[in-house]
Every structure is written in C-alpha cells, then in structure tokens.
C-alpha cells in the first residue's frame, strides 16, 4: 500500500527564509500531522537520486526537474522512505490518522516532478517580501560552504543554489558567491523560485494548494493556521505555545541588516524587473511598493 493511499502527502514550499520552517513547526504540532524534519534532503538525494545542493547531502547542484524526469521506482522508494521517517518522528501520534508533511524549499524548482510522483498530494506555498528574504539570506549564508547562484543558460530552467565545498574555481563570478556576493542574486532567487511556484499553483486545482503570505502568518497566526487546517481537512487544534513564540517584529529587521549599497542593489533589481513583479503573488502592485520601500531607506 503506497503512502498516497494511506494519507495524502503534504509538501510545504517557498524560497529559503520565507517562513517555511516556522509554518512547518506550527503545523507539525497538530495531533494529525507528522512533520518529518529537516527537509528530508538525504532521503530525496540518496533514496530517489534527486540531488539537493547541501552540506548534508554533499550534492553540488539542485537541478530543475519536471514530470518528464520521473524515473521508474522513484515513487516506491520515496514512499517507503517517507513511511520510515513518519515512524521515526510520530511520537505519540498514530500514523493511520496522520498526514505526512515535508517542508522543503529545494522543491521549488521541482514541483511538476513531485506532482507526477504524488498526483494526489497537497501543497502549501508560503511567500515573504523580498527585502526580508534578502536580509535573512545574507545572515544565514555565511558559512564555510560557499553557496553559488548559477548563471541562466536556458530561459526555461528554474535555478536553485549550488554548493562549492572546496576553493572557488577561477572561472566563477564571485559576485554570485555567498558569503560576500551581490545581494541582487538573492532577489533573483526569490523572484525565480516564487514565479515557478506560482506557475505550478495555476496549473493545479485550487483545492490542492494553500497559499499564505508570511507576514499574515506572523500578524494573524490563529486565523491563518485555522484556514490551513481546514484546507487539510483537519480540526482547528492550534499550537498556542508556539504561536506565542512568534516574533512580531521579524519583518522589520531587513533595513538594519542591509547596508546602503545592498539596498541600492535591490532597488536597481526592482527597477529592472518593473511590473513583472506584480504578476507572481496575490498582492497588488509590488513594483510600486518595493520601489517606495527601498528608496525610502536609501
């Protein structure tokens, strides 16, 4: 019996630093959801041969995958591995009454692939404003492993971060490497990933995807979680203790974490992309919003 026949798998996606971890932990506190941390990158990589660039997997690349890339046996291998992860993480919960939840930003450029593997899956997409994502990425991508934003060689390819574990090759543009690179590439990542998820969201029925803005989760957690649980067909049992730990000021920190040159780089990115920024999210007129927001802090 496959995982999908037991309970519909749930995949929580969004670009890095968009609140995916926070939301997964809030949902994972529910008695009928088994959240299997941390992203199951090793499972995807080792069990199913899906590379996910990370110090934990030692994969260098995180390729764009579509439904055409599904290989025989991948669904069965992942189902078996997901079941085992559920057993490891279930605690006192009963597997037969619980949904499997995998939070993984690396799936942002692989959603048609995931959908082909699990055609009855449900998806949760959380997105966050670009300046906050940028500032948070700058803070976290400061480790010994170098994260590299690859150049776009195919207009149809959705990129994700690559990892460089040793010295940076001489032919690599260091402005694309972090720590130390140009933050406009964080904005490119934010834009390209969310655009891909938005396109996927429009390709499936609305009852299969729940969309939430991170800022709304922070300001109205009870309301957002209740709506998400209803989407999942679960009772509204709220994680009150975790909700109390949400920092209400987490989206006010970006202007102090980015210097003037970095804010200017984001401002130029916004000007270059213009009204294309308006077509990704349900929000209205992000182009004008970001233009005003960033120029005010220059």
């Amino acid at each position: 019996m496959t995982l999908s026949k037991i309970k519909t798998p749930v995949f929580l996606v969004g670009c890095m630093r968009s609140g995916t971890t926070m939301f997964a932990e809030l949902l994972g506190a529910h008695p009928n959801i088994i959240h299997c941390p941390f992203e199951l990158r090793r499972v995807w990589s080792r069990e199913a041969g899906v590379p996910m660039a990370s110090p934990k997997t030692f994969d260098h690349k995180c390729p764009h995958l579509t439904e055409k890339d599904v290989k025989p046996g991948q669904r069965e291998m992942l189902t078996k591995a997901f079941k085992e992860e559920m057993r490891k993480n279930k605690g006192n919960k009963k597997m037969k009454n619980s949904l499997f939840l995998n939070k993984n930003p690396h799936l942002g450029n692989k959603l048609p692939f995931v959908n082909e593997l699990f055609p009855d899956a449900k998806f949760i997409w959380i997105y966050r404003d670009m300046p906050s994502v940028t500032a948070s990425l700058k803070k976290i991508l400061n480790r010994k492993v170098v994260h590299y934003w690859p150049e776009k060689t195919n207009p149809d390819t959705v990129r994700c971060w690559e990892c460089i574990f040793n010295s940076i090759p001489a032919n690599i543009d260091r402005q694309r490497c972090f720590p130390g690179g140009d933050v406009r590439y964080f904005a490119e990542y934010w834009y390209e990933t969310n655009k891909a998820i938005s396109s996927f969201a429009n390709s499936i029925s609305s009852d299969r995807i729940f969309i939430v803005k991170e800022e709304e989760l922070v300001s109205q957690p009870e309301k957002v979680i209740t709506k998400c649980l209803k989407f999942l067909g679960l009772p509204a049992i709220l994680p009150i203790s975790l909700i109390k730990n949400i920092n209400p000021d987490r989206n006010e920190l970006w202007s102090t974490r980015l210097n003037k040159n970095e804010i200017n780089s984001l401002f130029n990115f916004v000007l270059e992309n213009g009204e294309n920024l308006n077509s990704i999210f349900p929000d209205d007129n992000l182009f004008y919003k970001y233009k005003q927001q960033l120029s005010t802090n220059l």
Side-chain angles (χ1 to χ4, degrees):
M1 184 177 290
T2 64
L3 176 65
S4 60
K5 290 181 180 178
I6 298 171
K7 279 290 182 180
T8 301
V10 181
F11 298 98
L12 196 164
V13 297
C15 74
M16 293 167 58
R17 314 312 294 170
S18 292
T20 55
T21 298
M22 175 177 63
F23 202 14
E25 290 176 349
L26 289 165
L27 294 175
H30 194 279
N32 300 116
I33 296 177
I34 299 176
H35 170 220
C36 298
F38 188 76
E39 300 179 2
L40 302 187
R41 285 172 290 190
R42 284 196 181 100
V43 170
W44 283 98
S45 177
R46 295 178 184 175
E47 300 295 333
V50 180
M52 292 188 174
S54 163
K56 293 185 178 182
T57 62
F58 290 102
D59 292 329
H60 290 275
K61 296 182 183 296
C62 192
H64 174 211
L65 298 177
T66 72
E67 63 276 7
K68 298 178 181 178
D69 296 304
V70 172
K71 298 175 182 177
Q74 279 181 319
R75 178 187 174 102
E76 291 73 19
M77 287 185 287
L78 281 168
T79 295
K80 181 180 178 181
F82 288 164
K83 284 182 179 180
E84 182 58 31
E85 291 297 327
M86 287 182 76
R87 291 189 185 97
K88 291 179 184 177
N89 292 279
K90 69 184 183 65
N92 295 324
K93 301 176 184 179
K94 295 181 179 179
M95 283 183 58
K96 67 177 181 179
N97 297 324
S98 299
L99 295 176
F100 165 83
L101 173 63
N102 178 205
K103 171 280 260 203
N104 193 332
H106 292 274
L107 298 179
N109 68 340
K110 302 172 180 61
L111 290 178
F113 172 82
V114 177
N115 189 54
E116 184 71 14
L117 287 170
F118 299 100
D120 61 343
K122 287 197 172 186
F123 298 88
I124 300 170
W125 171 28
I126 184 169
Y127 64 94
R128 186 183 187 189
D129 273 333
M130 180 264 288
S132 292
V133 169
T134 298
S136 190
L137 282 169
K138 176 191 173 184
K139 181 181 178 182
I140 199 170
L141 297 188
N142 60 358
R143 300 163 181 169
K144 292 181 180 179
V145 172
V146 173
H147 284 75
Y148 169 67
W149 180 243
E151 295 189 44
K152 200 170 185 70
T153 57
N154 183 332
D156 297 324
T157 297
V158 182
R159 294 168 290 178
C160 191
W161 293 97
E162 298 181 1
C163 285
I164 300 173
F165 298 108
N166 299 307
S167 58
I168 300 175
N171 63 328
I172 292 291
D173 180 359
R174 298 208 170 220
Q175 289 299 302
R176 293 177 170 270
C177 297
F178 297 88
D182 186 339
V183 298
R184 71 160 285 122
Y185 296 118
F186 289 150
E188 271 191 19
Y189 161 68
W190 168 87
Y191 176 73
E192 194 165 314
T193 302
N194 283 304
K195 185 177 180 182
I197 300 173
S198 178
S199 177
F200 173 75
N202 290 328
S203 75
I204 62 175
S205 59
S206 59
D207 63 337
R208 294 187 59 209
I209 187 160
F210 181 80
I211 304 173
V212 58
K213 185 172 176 59
E214 184 267 2
E215 287 79 1
E216 291 180 2
L217 176 62
V218 171
S219 63
Q220 303 178 71
E222 293 92 346
K223 178 181 178 181
V224 171
I225 296 169
T226 298
K227 289 175 68 175
C228 187
L229 292 174
K230 182 179 180 181
F231 161 77
L232 296 173
L234 297 175
I237 302 173
L238 302 180
I240 301 302
S241 60
L242 293 181
I243 287 173
K244 290 179 179 178
N245 291 331
I246 296 175
N247 177 10
D249 300 320
R250 58 184 268 135
N251 291 307
E252 307 300 323
L253 303 174
W254 67 269
S255 61
T256 59
R257 290 179 175 173
L258 298 175
N259 60 43
K260 296 293 184 182
N261 288 336
E262 291 167 336
I263 293 175
N264 188 61
S265 185
L266 294 185
F267 182 70
N268 289 332
F269 171 84
V270 168
L271 294 181
E272 289 168 18
N273 285 276
E275 294 188 0
N276 289 329
L277 298 173
N278 297 338
S279 60
I280 308 175
F281 310 112
D283 308 61
D284 291 327
N285 209 347
L286 281 184
F287 171 52
Y288 177 79
K289 172 185 174 181
Y290 289 155
K291 188 167 64 170
Q292 293 296 112
Q293 188 179 43
L294 293 167
S295 63
T296 300
N297 285 275
L298 284 176

